[in-house]
Amino acid sequence: MNGSEMPLLLQLVITFFLVAGAIVALIGSIGLARLKDFYMRLHGPTKASTLGVGCILLASLLYFSFLKGGLSVQEALVTLFLFVTAPVSAHMMAKAALHRKLKCSPRTRKGPPDH
Amino acid sequence: MNHLMIMPIVIPLLTGAFLLVMYRYNIGRQRSLSIGSTLLLVIFAVWAILQAGVSDYTLYRLGNWQPPFGIVLVLDRLSAIMLLLTALLSLFCVLYASRGSDREGSHFHALLQFQLMGINGAFLTGDLFNLFVFFEVLLIASYALLLHGGGRARSRAGLHYVVINLAGSALFLLALGILYGLTGTLNMADLARVIATAPEADLPLLKAASLLLMVVFGIKAALLPLLFWLPRAYSAASAPVAALFAIMTKVGFYAMVRVFLVVFGLDEGSPANDTVLAWLWPMALITLSLGGIGVLGASSLRTLTAYMVIVSVGILLATMSRNDEQLLAASLFYLLHSTCMTAVFFLLADLIGRYRENGYDRFSVISPLSHRWILGTVFLVAAVSMASLPPFSGFVSKAWILQSSSTLPDYLWLWAPILISGLLIIAALSRAGSGWFWRPEELADKAAPALDGARTATVCVMIAISFSLAIFAQPVMDYLEAAARLIYEPSGYVEAVLGDYVGQSREVTE
Amino acid sequence: MDIGLLVFLPVLGAIASLLSRLKRPGPDHVQRHALVALIAPAICLLLLLSYLPRVQSGEALVYSFSWVPEIGLGIAFRLDGLSWLFATLITGIGCLIILYARYYFAGKDTAGRFFVLIQLFMTAMLGIVLSENLLFMLVFWELTSLVSFLLIGFTWSSRNARRGARMSLVITGGGGLALLGGILLLGQIVGSYQITDVLAATDTIVSDDRYPLTLSLILLGAFTKSAQAPFHLWLPHAMAAPTPVSAYLHSATMVKAGLFLMARLHPAMGDTELWFSLITITGMVTLMVGAFVAMFMHDIKGLLAYSTISHLGLITLLIGMGSEMAMAAALFHLTVHALFKAPLFMMAGIVDQATGSRDMRNINGLWRTMPALMLITAVPAAAMAGLPLMSGYLSKKMLFSESLLVTAPHWATTLIPVWVTVAGLFSVAYSVRIFHNVFFNGQPVDLPHWPPRKKPAGMLVPLFILAAASLLVGLAPQATYDSLIHLAVMATSMTHLPLYDFSALSEAQVPAMMSMVAMVGGVVFYLARSSLFAIHRQLPDVDAKNIFEQIMQQSIRFAQSLVYRLENGSLQRYLAFILVAAIAPGLWMLSSYTGWQGPSALTAVNPMVVFGAVILCLSAIGVALFHHQRLPALLLLSVTGLFVTLAFAQFSAPDLALTQLSVEVMAVVIMMLALSFLPQTSPRESGAGRIVRDLGLAGLAGTGIALFAYAVLTRPAETISGYFLANSVPGGGGTNVVNVILVDFRGFDTLGEITVLGIAAVAVFAFTRDLHLKERVASAGTAKGFAEPHPVILQMVSRMALPIALLVSAYIFLRGHNMPGGGFIAGLVTAVALTLQYMAGGLVWAQERMLTHFRPLIGAGLLIATATGLGSWVVGYPFLTSAFSHMDWPLIGEFELATALLFDLGVYTTVVGATLLILANLGKLMTVAGPGQEVG
Amino acid sequence: MIATVIPFVIGTFCIAVLLNLYRLAVGPDIVDRILALDTLMINSIALIVLADIQMSLGILFEAALLIALMGFVGTVAMTKYLLRGDVIE
Amino acid sequence: MELVIAITLGVLTTTGVYLILRARTFSVVLGLTLLSHGVNLFLFSMGRLTTASPAVIGLVENYTDPLPQALVLTAIVISFSMTAFVVVLALKAAVELRSDHVDGEDPNEDRQ
Amino acid sequence: MNRREFWLPRPLFSLFLAVLWLLMVNSFSVAHMLLGLALGVFIPFVTRAFWPEQAKVRYLLPLLRYFVVLMVDIVRSNLVVARRILWYPNQLTPGFVTFPLELDDDFAITILASTISLTPGTVTAHYDSDAGTLLIHALHVSDEDELVRQIKEQYERPLKEIFQ
Ligand code: NA
Ligand code: NA
């Protein structure tokens, strides 16, 4: 790892993204673990994890852009892909949950309309 | 570099692939393509026989890479014999199948061609991992062929056959891993070289690997206690497929010969194959005995034949495990005989079954049949040959085996089961024959279907081959002896394959 | 060579008969058959007579030709006194039998078959007696068993015929196998199978420590063939055969083959304690058993059969004694027996056909209706009884006198004379009985045909000839012996010995008294028969056939039960067997192995790897624990797959990571597809014991792997890989060595690998084609609640994802040669993207948008890859030799063209085709539009 | 600086993975497990990329991309299965 | 490190073997998959495990042994083909034999 | 359809693919530009059957602006969600909200649904094409109508502009 001759600012930025990503993703997983019912748990990953990983990818983008010289935007592709697919996954899982008539937590204001 | 040598692998591959591309071909075209390709295989096999007769080893360096780095094909007399046997057998199977049983499912001919590719590859390759690959090719093709035609019995037998062989493949990979981890090479000749000079501490591990390989090949060759998948699988398969499978167990045998006698047998002083051969001897004898008992207890001709296969495997492995050149030659002759005759009986069971009113090939059923005289005569002759009575190849081969084994100290352990199993076979076949052709009344002519000349002819020709194998035994035997001699000169194999590489240091500087 | 002609003439005759059989059977067809069949034997007989002078000059004519020198099997013939005597009996009696059969089979259309088989048999028999090479003789030996099997089963509609035939085949066939063993050993000892060499090697043989085994095996063969106790059981049941067959095979010729063999090998193997005891005792037992049982037979043929047995025993006994004189007696009696037993059988046949019965309790007083038959039969009957002036009298007397000469061992000195006298007594009794009981003894009792049918006079001719011959021998024994038998005797004892002196025999007192005793006692016995029968009826009557069938059934049942118990159709058991076979030997060998720890030092622990390893293990264990809950187990399985991927990525195997990943998801999708037909849970059915056993096996297996891995990992690596790293760029034109190995160094493996994939797909197509789950189709259908078949949002995104995925796979494909990637992964990515279309849009929807079918795609892929390999021929290089060149075009810049890329294209195509074929056909199973129509 | 922070980041993601596994193990419903697996996939993308940075190889990008793709397809397949009892119809 | 690898391989194999000894086709399939994971990793590790040294010429200083990787890649593909095949076969068997027991509903019926 | 539509179904998308290619290969050599364009033309051509209907993108710039706004919102929303999950997960009052759609183009609806799923604690759970409504699950709803209005303001209107 030859991050040593890297400009401090870039290092800071990368580090920031790394840490931020880690934290956000962790929060997402905590949500997955802690929240009451499925529909609530669904929120954690679809956003947090996606974003968190997005940050990591951004960090890696910067890192390798410097390392290899010239812009290395491949990681952007992964991020884009994640952002396109994550909502659909969530959508499908929600549908499955609705289909299986999973019960919501008691605090839910208004349950799903039953078909 | 003689390109004819790759043909036995490439031709069936091309044919199979082409049949897939032309997947809309009507059955007639498929048949003619398949038969044509198989005929070509026979021709090239004959070439291989001649070529191997001229020069002990013919090499083919795939990708033009120096062995042991690239994969190399090695043609010697043994592989040439196996090639010819396979080609002839498959030709008859294709011809028989082309009378209609290839219609029972889809892509019979393509699958059969792939199967041939796998078998021929296994016979030719000089690289252990490549052997694994070709094993998988022939296995997956055999799975498909076994299921050809559908039906409950096939599904069940197929499932067992597949799962067991998958376990076998896993074991094969493990053994390969151990071998590579300890020797750092995959080429058979190079393996032999390294194993012969392996450090004392590694030897037990290498031997353990050879024991694993024994199980792997034992599953293919149907060695006790790894053979229980065989009877049902073979009796469930459609006739031509079962007949083709007669060669499959021999592939296992061939692999054992190559790997145990050549790869593990280079060091004459203390060969690394002593352990595995010591294990093979008793297991093979028990296999042989169980096969005989199974023959007696069989309830249908196909099952009986399946146990005949087991008997033959027992004899082959027992003789091979005694590590004697003369005996190996004899067992190779027996291999030719048994393969041919078991195939004949699988076809015969189907042929007769077609003309019995009911019960197909079951012994318990007494059913009127048609064409009693022709079928009965064919069955009688075939039975005589199968029971290794004179004047057929079976008699000669058994005589040879017994002769060449009589020099061993414990020859009686081999003689007793061979002779007794022979008696059991006579008993079983006489029961079957008299029950089928002497007991029932003739089927009313209007109910009787016309005799299928082509199918019958195919069977007769195969029997005739077994007969002529006895008549012209001597030249065959000379060839086989030469083949066995080569097997017992691993050093020659190693030199031929590695050439100038021998002695050269491993480290190739960049 | 004309000896060879002698042997094979009857075959030609048989073929002739076969052809004449094809001709439409007319009224006279039996006549025609008989004439055709008579030709060959007659010629043989003449040939033999023409040889007589040369044979009498004492020389042994030997002709040998090599056939399979490797095993010492040669086509070799030998004509000396012994073989001449037998050959003459065989052909001579054969002619008469054919003559007899011409009337016996009159009006039956089975005649043709008989004549064919009888001539085949003649060949076999001549082959036995005329072979110089023992292995060659064995060929004919087995042939006789076979033909006898066919002849006994001649009237196969009857159960007895079938059973008798099977029984004889199994017993004589078994004997044949023993004989094979014995002869092979003999050949090993002598170093040749030529009788000449064997006879010359007496000392070598007798002194060899394999001699006892050899002798026992050979005798086993001889005894079974010659119906010696306890193997005699098959002979009475061979009587199910037509009478001519019984007369020929089962009294005159085949049953003598064993005796011939013993006589033949006597000079080489005889004159030992073992020889004496084995053969003599067997002979005595057989002699007595046969004679005793014969007395109580009511069936004429049965009686004759047992008397044959006893006479065979008698001859065996003489051979066992082994002295030259004993041999002389043996061969003399052998001839005599052939001459008097054949006509008696013929008589039995005539009576049978005339009266429709063979039971002597019913058949009585035939002298009125068949005086001629009675007169002719009197001679052989008397001979069998051994009345004075009869040939049988002489041979008996010879036996008695020989029995007196036995000096050692001491038990034999007195036992044998007494024994043979008693046996002689019995034989007198049954001889008297067969004659008196049939032709006199009051009125017949309700016979099927009465008055008996007229039989043509010609049928008596063969009887007459034989009877006359027998009489002749009795009257002029010395001449007969000198001219015919003496030569044979000399051949059986390779010494030149004086002629047998019959005048001396007639002076001998003791033997005369012995035979008087036998005669008187025999008559007394016969007169007291009624009471004896009464006693005999008390004895349990045992039917050998049933015993044999019992034994067969028992052994078959045993075999079946054993096989069933082992091969019980349980996959779990088979797998357990395999595991044990894989573990046990290694355990056995490595139990004391200590070298597990290799020389090289352990590397430092990397926490991230440990973390991964722990999760990998946990998920694997989770799969094992939750396998009853199938879907959760599947999820855990994909976690395992994911972490295997991570492991590959961590340990510098990016290509493996990519491959594992894509394969994993495809596998999971396929399993999901399967799960939609299978039950959702596995029942808990294996008991604690089974689980413990399996855990034990699994644990052992796991431990084994761990140990091996540890052993190897702690050893220094010395591999051939340096070469690949060195030559990847210069030789293979790619920097990604793994990929270069795959498409170049070991491209052949890859070719096989994609073939496997293709076959798997085609196989799936093939055996799901007609598989359809109609009951499930109903459940599928249109929207229900939140679960509409094809969610719009999913569709939109999947469609958008498709081109991008294709772009990605193009990227992965192109960079593969130099960077992680390659055709296989690219293919899987494409396949996954298209699978997404299946899931989002439905099978039918997606299928009709595919550009091509999948099977041709697979084929094309394989063709491309193979053609690339073949391309290298054009420039004279071997299959799959790669070529590449770096181009530098203006404005385009530098780029590389490699044949490997073309090969990889083949891989790509195959993978796409195969994967989609599998998925589509799995998917089709439940699609309403699916079944019946082929997908892909 | 990056070198020092990377292990902690990796550790964080390992914790995240453990949390996912927890959900995967306890469920309660199968949909929860699927969600957990989906999240696990996404987190493992991060792990791969981090390993890539740590080893400063820059060759694991495809792996990340493929995990994203395969994770998505897998999730869709499973949910489709739950919704329709059938994946391809 | 070697110990960790060895133990992991052992666990994978154990679970896989245990599962292929189960009575239901699906469990057997799971077992085969786990087993092939174990075997592939085993074969892979036979080239000795090294981090951060992929066999891509010019990317790093020293390279790992590429040959086992190629072998494992082949093995992965083959075992994938086999898995796909056996899954479909299990399906077919379950439908035709009216049970997803590895021996079908009545293992001995095709005997008589 | 005319020849252009046959050979080049969506030129815009082809261009997008070409750019994507260049991003992926990380090199802007002429060779790759040509290759990218080739793929950009080839891939849509072979996959055209899979999306029959023409996309109705009127203006490109508004679409890009929309995505930028979206990115910002995602970051914001994640902070919100994070706070809720971490500090007071027990005060959350989740609920289902039915969102009446004004859009009718499936593509637009898909973008909207994804947007909803990516932004403040909301997930599109179901799209009822007959009723033309989206079923949204919100992690914390104080007022359904407020939520609906907000979504219509922020996302549906711009999308309508872009796609009608
Ligand atoms: Na489906
Ligand atoms: Na379907």
Side-chain angles (χ1 to χ4, degrees), chain C residues 563-564 567-572 575-576 579 602-606 609-610 613 616-617 620-621 623-624 627 630 633-634 637 640-641 644 648 650-656 659-660 663-664 666-667 670-671 674-675 677-679 682-683 685-686 691 694-695 697-699 701-702 705-706 708-710 712-713 715-717 719-721 724-725 729 735-738 741-742 746 753 756-757 760 763-764 767-768 771 773 818-820 824 915 918 922 925, chain E residues 1-60 62-96 99-104 106-108 110-112:
Chain C
V563 168
Y564 274 43
E567 187 226 333
N568 67 343
S570 154
L571 177 63
Q572 293 165 282
L575 286 170
L579 282 166
L602 301 187
T603 52
V605 175
N606 170 348
V609 173
V610 175
L616 193 53
C617 295
I621 294 167
V623 177
H627 78 275
R630 294 186 170 181
L634 197 50
L637 187 66
T640 323
V644 171
F648 286 142
Q650 167 69 21
F651 292 114
S652 351
D655 291 274
L656 284 184
T659 316
Q660 179 64 49
V663 161
E664 187 66 25
M666 287 318 286
I670 289 173
M671 288 190 203
L675 254 190
F677 306 99
L678 296 172
S682 307
E685 48 200 342
S686 31
I691 289 179
D694 294 349
L695 277 176
L697 279 174
I705 305 301
F708 277 119
Y710 187 77
V712 173
L713 288 177
R715 282 164 162 73
T719 77
I720 55 174
S721 297
F724 301 128
L725 295 167
V729 175
T735 55
N736 180 4
V737 185
V738 175
I741 292 177
L742 281 171
R746 300 186 67 89
E753 156 202 325
V756 170
L757 187 56
V764 167
F767 71 73
T768 52
L771 186 66
L773 304 103
N818 296 317
M819 279 286 161
F824 184 81
T915 321
I918 294 173
L922 252 177
L925 292 180
Chain E
M1 205 68 254
E2 288 73 11
L3 206 55
V4 179
I5 307 292
I7 291 169
T8 316
L9 291 173
V11 172
L12 277 174
T13 319
T14 310
T15 49
V17 170
Y18 175 75
L19 281 175
I20 64 171
L21 288 171
R22 296 300 104 226
R24 297 287 158 167
T25 49
F26 192 78
S27 316
V28 173
V29 170
L30 294 177
L32 287 169
T33 319
L34 280 179
L35 192 58
S36 66
H37 282 331
V39 168
N40 292 339
L41 278 178
F42 180 85
L43 189 53
F44 175 59
S45 62
M46 287 302 108
R48 314 300 190 274
L49 300 178
T50 51
T51 53
S53 52
V56 177
I57 303 299
L59 190 70
V60 287
N62 53 351
Y63 308 105
T64 182
D65 183 345
L67 187 50
Q69 294 192 17
L71 304 186
V72 173
L73 217 149
T74 308
I76 289 177
V77 177
I78 287 177
S79 63
F80 165 64
S81 322
M82 294 298 175
T83 313
F85 182 90
V86 76
V87 167
V88 185
L89 179 55
L91 195 58
K92 182 183 166 71
V95 172
E96 288 181 345
S99 155
D100 71 332
H101 191 286
V102 286
D103 304 329
D106 165 16
N108 275 317
D110 51 335
R111 257 274 176 62
Q112 282 70 32

Side-chain angles (χ1 to χ4, degrees), chain C residues 673 923, chain D residues 86-88:
Chain C
L673 277 162
Chain D
D86 190 6
V87 180
I88 297 173

Side-chain angles (χ1 to χ4, degrees), chain B residues 326-338:
Chain B
Q326 188 67 21
L327 199 48
L328 181 65
S331 66
L332 287 178
F333 193 90
Y334 178 76
L335 182 148
L336 300 180
H337 155 75
S338 59

